[in-house]
Amino acid sequence: AQTVTQSQPEMSVQEAETVTLSCTYDTSESDYYLFWYKQPPSRQMILVIRQEAYKQQNATENRFSVNFQKAAKSFSLKISDSQLGDAAMYFCAYRSPGNQFYFGTGTSLTVIP
Amino acid sequence: DTGVSQNPRHKITKRGQNVTFRCDPISEHNRLYWYRQTLGQGPEFLTYFQNEAQLEKSRLLSDRFSAERPKGSFSTLEIQRTEQGDSAMYLCASSPSGGPRGYEQYFGPGTRLTVT
């Protein structure tokens, strides 16, 4: 069965600094998608970034980038120039070829002014 | 706002009662998903529709849960004979099935269920 592990329940970062959130997953598939979602307090979940497993190049979206290590089954999220609005719960997610999504338990990010 | 909407946003019910939630996806999205999220956990997959067809259903979903998506538009999730363990946030998400944004889910605000 696919599992997604986020080993950091909480992280904090100074405003304008960089932080990296970790995620590992377990799968026997070779073709899949990985995602990072952000869930601000009392607000709905929004997509931050996605990575196709067949692509070697790491995805980037403005201040957000990933480090995708397929062999190690690792998918970390780097947030550069952290802003107060980045404070949220961050979930790593795996999409199987059968279109089922599996989420990690989340990392709560605090941004310190 | 053309995002995913869910109603009601909050529902308090007594144990043993039935409840029904509604999800209206983004109009051009033909895939629709239901998740359950408890405090401190990530969303847990419940079921998934492509158009009106229910293609996947979690083994964790008991027979008390049923979902429909008539005509491939809105969807309803019904829980019969609710139990206290059903208390959670129920999330709906939709996605297109192809194109550059295929496989990206867009989530609704959720329905928070409290069973007393």
Side-chain angles (χ1 to χ4, degrees):
Chain A
Q2 286 80 7
T3 58
V4 178
T5 302
Q6 294 180 250
S7 59
Q8 305 155 315
E10 298 178 345
M11 291 283 285
S12 62
V13 61
Q14 291 284 145
E15 196 175 2
E17 296 295 309
T18 295
V19 65
T20 298
L21 309 184
S22 301
C23 173
T24 58
Y25 58 95
D26 183 31
T27 185
S28 58
E29 304 288 347
S30 59
D31 184 20
Y32 50 87
Y33 289 77
L34 296 166
F35 303 86
W36 279 98
Y37 281 88
K38 168 185 177 182
Q39 190 174 38
S42 301
R43 297 186 63 185
Q44 62 204 76
M45 192 150 354
I46 57 175
L47 178 67
V48 174
I49 197 165
R50 84 171 193 185
Q51 174 78 45
E52 294 89 335
Y54 65 86
K55 289 187 176 179
Q56 292 186 339
Q57 187 173 9
N58 290 324
T60 63
E61 288 285 345
N62 301 313
R63 299 183 294 108
F64 299 87
S65 62
V66 299
N67 183 4
F68 173 48
Q69 301 289 328
K70 191 172 184 178
K73 296 180 184 175
S74 170
F75 182 60
S76 61
L77 174 69
K78 185 171 82 171
I79 307 174
S80 304
D81 185 27
S82 296
Q83 300 175 0
L84 295 177
D86 295 333
M89 199 74 172
Y90 286 81
F91 292 98
C92 177
Y94 164 95
R95 177 198 168 272
S96 72
N99 203 39
Q100 284 205 19
F101 286 77
Y102 300 87
F103 286 78
T105 52
T107 297
S108 177
L109 179 66
T110 300
V111 181
I112 303 166
Chain B
D1 182 20
T2 57
V4 179
S5 62
Q6 293 186 246
N7 289 288
R9 295 290 305 276
H10 303 273
K11 179 71 176 178
I12 300 174
T13 191
K14 292 185 177 179
R15 189 177 58 182
Q17 298 295 305
N18 299 345
V19 294
T20 300
F21 311 140
R22 176 178 170 128
C23 171
D24 287 89
I26 294 172
S27 59
E28 61 267 27
H29 288 182
N30 56 5
R31 288 181 173 173
L32 187 147
Y33 308 80
W34 284 100
Y35 294 88
R36 176 172 61 192
Q37 186 178 24
T38 54
L39 198 61
Q41 299 296 315
E44 177 185 38
F45 171 81
L46 293 178
T47 191
Y48 146 59
F49 290 85
Q50 176 142 338
N51 299 313
E52 66 275 10
Q54 188 173 18
L55 298 185
E56 292 287 341
K57 188 175 178 181
S58 169
R59 286 171 292 178
L60 301 173
L61 212 62
S62 76
D63 292 341
R64 297 184 297 106
F65 287 71
S66 62
E68 294 182 342
R69 193 183 182 197
K71 302 179 182 178
S73 55
F74 70 92
S75 176
T76 58
L77 176 69
E78 181 183 17
I79 309 174
Q80 296 181 329
R81 305 180 303 282
T82 53
E83 303 172 355
Q84 287 189 322
D86 297 331
S87 296
M89 178 74 85
Y90 289 84
L91 298 172
C92 176
S94 69
S95 75
S97 59
R101 292 297 183 184
Y103 314 122
E104 293 181 2
Q105 296 181 96
Y106 296 80
F107 281 82
T111 294
R112 182 168 295 284
L113 173 66
T114 302
V115 182
T116 62

